Amino acid sequence: MAQWQDKVAVITGAGSGIGAGLAGHAISRGMTVYAADVDEAGLARLASELDSERLFCAVLDVSRGDQLANLAERVFREEAGRSEPAVQ
């Protein structure tokens, strides 16, 4: 578990299904998670279920490059470049 502690993940599709499961798992491993989805209600549900200071939700459409760029800028600004790809 220590290998994931204090790492940062950006998870798209986090409002439900596999994305929500990944977000929960990452939080349980001590990661900071930026959860993104177009489904605002799904993200609200995720935030309520996980109830974590390490979870940050962003409503966005991944097909919109400008919205992804804004999220990337936010993550790098707030996390000082700590985000690393966990899945390639």
Side-chain angles (χ1 to χ4, degrees):
M1 182 162 31
Q3 77 186 62
W4 301 112
Q5 185 72 33
D6 297 324
K7 299 287 185 176
V8 178
V10 176
I11 301 174
T12 60
S16 65
I18 293 170
L22 285 171
H25 186 72
I27 292 288
S28 75
R29 297 287 188 208
M31 296 180 77
T32 296
V33 173
Y34 287 80
D37 203 304
V38 69
D39 179 6
E40 187 172 3
L43 288 175
R45 204 169 31 255
L46 179 71
S48 176
E49 290 171 6
L50 296 182
D51 189 29
S52 174
E53 296 175 347
R54 293 176 165 263
L55 177 67
F56 302 94
C57 295
V59 178
L60 62 85
D61 181 344
V62 297
S63 71
R64 300 265 321 265
D66 60 323
Q67 292 181 9
L68 283 176
N70 288 339
L71 178 60
E73 288 174 15
R74 175 183 174 193
V75 171
F76 281 106
R77 181 179 60 250
E78 293 178 8
E79 303 300 333
R82 292 187 314 134
S83 183
E84 300 177 26
V87 179
Q88 298 178 348

